[in-house]
C-alpha cells in the first residue's frame, strides 16, 4: 500500500513509512491534547513537498487558528508564505451541514488538486442530528465520499475524556482507515503528552504509547521511548 508521509518526526517510523495514501485517518483526543497542531504540521510537511493542503476549520475562527499556529510553530520555515500563497488553504466553515462541507471539499479537491485535507473538528457535525445513529450515518456518507478522492484526510474528533482506554465511543465503530489517539497522561506529579496508534488498516504499526512534544520547529514523537502507565 502506498503511503503518505505525515512528515512528523518519529510518527512515520512508528507507522513503517506513513499513513495509507488517499485514506481517512482520525486524530482523537481530549481538549488541548494537540489535535490541531498535528493536522497543521501534516499539511505543512506536504506543502513543503509541493502538495496542496486544505484546512477546514469547523469550530475555531480561522484567524485565531493561524495566530496559534504561528505561535506554536514559530520556527517552521516558510509557513506564512505557504499560507499566503494558499498552498495551505485555511477555510472556516460556518455551516454544520455535511452537504455544504462536501461541496467545499469537492470544489477544492477537483479544481485545486488538494492532496491533503484536514477537517477540524468533526465533532461539531453531531449538532443537527437528533440521534447518534443519524450522526453516524452522515459521518459514514462523508467518509464514503472522501474514500473516492485522490486525497489523504485527517479528521479530528474531540473526546470528552482525557483518560486512556475510555474514549466515549466504540473505536471499532469508526469506518476510518486509521485512528491515532492523543493523551495528556498523568505521570507522577505532572502530565505528559503521549500518543498511541489504535488502528491503521493494512499497516503493521508499533503498538506502544509513546511520548511526544510540540516544539517550535515541529512535533517530535519519541517512538523509541516507553511510558510506564
Ligand atoms: N507557544 C506554544 N508552544 C508550544 N506549545 C504550545 C504553545 N501554545 C500552546 N501549546 C501547546 O499546544 C497545545 C494545544 O494544541 P492544539 O491546539 O493543537 O490542541 P487541540 O487538541 O487541537 O486543542 P482543542 O481541544 O482546543 O482544539 C496546548 O495544550 C499547549 O500545551
Ligand atoms: Mg483544536
Amino acid at each position: 500500500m502506498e503511503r503518505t508521509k505525515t512528515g512528523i518526526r518519529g510518527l512515520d517510523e512508528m507507522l513503517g513509512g506513513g499513513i495509507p495514501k488517499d485514506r481517512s485517518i482520525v486524530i482523537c483526543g481530549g481538549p488541548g491534547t494537540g489535535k490541531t497542531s498535528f493536522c497543521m504540521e501534516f499539511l505543512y510537511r506536504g506543502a513543503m513537498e509541493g502538495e496542496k493542503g486544505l484546512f477546514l476549520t469547523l469550530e475555531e475562527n480561522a484567524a485565531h487558528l493561524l495566530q496559534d499556529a504561528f505561535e506554536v510553530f514559530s520556527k517552521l520555515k516558510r509557513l506564512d508564505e505557504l499560507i499566503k500563497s494558499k498552498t495551505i488553504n485555511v477555510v472556516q466553515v460556518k455551516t454544520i451541514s455535511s452537504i455544504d462541507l462536501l461541496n467545499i471539499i469537492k470544489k477544492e479537491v477537483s479544481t485545486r488538486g488538494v492532496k491533503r485535507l484536514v477537517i477540524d473538528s468533526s465533532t461539531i457535525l453531531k449538532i443537527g442530528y437528533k440521534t447518534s445513529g443519524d450522526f453516524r450515518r452522515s459521518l459514514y456518507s462523508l467518509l464514503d465520499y472522501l474514500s473516492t478522492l485522490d486525497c489523504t484526510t485527517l479528521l479530528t474528533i474531540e473526546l470528552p475524556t482525557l483518560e486512556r482506554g475510555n474514549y466515549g465511543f466504540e473505536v471499532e465503530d469508526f469506518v476510518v482507515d486509521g485512528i491515532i489517539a492523543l493523551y495528556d497522561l498523568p505521570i507522577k506529579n505532572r502530565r505528559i503528552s503521549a500518543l498511541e496508534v489504535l488502528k491503521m488498516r493494512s499497516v503493521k504499526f508499533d503498538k506502544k504509547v509513546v511520548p511526544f512534544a510540540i516544539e517550535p520547529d515541529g512535533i517530535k514523537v519519541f517512538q523509541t521511548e516507553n511510558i510506564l502507565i
Side-chain angles (χ1 to χ4, degrees):
M1 155 113 24
E2 234 187 304
R3 305 294 181 87
T4 293
K5 279 192 181 151
T6 64
I8 294 169
R9 278 160 296 183
L11 184 58
D12 293 327
E13 288 81 349
M14 250 182 114
L15 297 167
I19 56 180
K21 186 172 178 291
D22 297 341
R23 303 292 187 92
S24 301
I25 308 295
V26 159
I27 307 284
C28 61
T33 46
K35 302 179 293 296
T36 302
S37 305
F38 264 82
C39 294
M40 190 52 88
E41 186 169 347
F42 167 72
L43 293 189
Y44 169 80
R45 297 292 170 195
M48 288 297 275
E49 300 290 322
E51 285 187 3
K52 285 192 182 135
L54 173 64
F55 195 115
L56 295 179
T57 170
L58 272 58
E59 286 178 5
E60 229 180 312
N61 168 293
H64 290 174
L65 182 117
L66 285 172
Q67 227 170 26
D68 291 349
F70 290 128
E71 188 84 31
V72 172
F73 293 129
S74 56
K75 288 192 184 152
L76 283 186
K77 292 189 184 83
R78 299 179 51 216
L79 178 61
D80 53 344
E81 184 189 320
L82 293 168
I83 286 166
K84 274 197 198 104
S85 66
K86 295 202 188 294
T87 311
I88 301 173
N89 194 15
V90 179
V91 176
Q92 188 177 351
V93 183
K94 289 185 178 155
T95 156
I96 47 157
S97 133
S98 22
I99 295 167
D100 293 343
L101 195 63
L102 282 191
N103 285 333
I104 296 172
I105 296 170
K106 246 178 218 167
K107 186 169 144 255
E108 284 279 327
V109 174
S110 59
T111 63
R112 294 186 62 244
V114 162
K115 291 288 175 215
R116 295 185 183 218
L117 169 67
V118 165
I119 304 176
D120 182 32
S121 110
S122 319
T123 318
I124 197 158
L125 297 172
K126 259 188 187 160
I127 300 169
Y129 293 99
K130 285 203 181 75
T131 68
S132 60
D134 288 346
F135 165 62
R136 208 160 277 181
R137 271 185 290 280
S138 99
L139 195 60
Y140 286 169
S141 59
L142 176 64
L143 290 167
D144 193 40
Y145 172 67
L146 294 175
S147 72
T148 65
L149 305 176
D150 298 328
C151 175
T152 310
T153 306
L154 295 187
L155 301 117
T156 68
I157 303 248
E158 178 148 345
L159 302 181
T161 168
L162 290 169
E163 302 312 324
R164 180 175 174 254
N166 180 8
Y167 307 108
F169 64 85
E170 298 299 324
V171 168
E172 55 274 21
D173 279 355
F174 276 84
V175 280
V176 284
D177 298 289
I179 302 175
I180 298 173
L182 307 185
Y183 308 113
D184 213 12
L185 294 177
I187 309 265
K188 292 188 180 147
N189 61 348
R190 53 191 290 242
R191 285 191 175 267
I192 294 197
S193 294
L195 67 79
E196 170 177 35
V197 180
L198 294 177
K199 164 179 172 176
M200 200 62 66
R201 270 186 196 148
S202 62
V203 167
K204 192 167 175 285
F205 59 87
D206 215 340
K207 293 195 172 181
K208 254 182 23 177
V209 180
V210 296
F212 72 86
I214 301 175
E215 294 187 354
D217 61 344
I219 296 166
K220 290 189 183 84
V221 177
F222 305 103
Q223 94 273 13
T224 56
E225 284 185 28
N226 285 303
I227 290 188
L228 298 177
I229 300 164

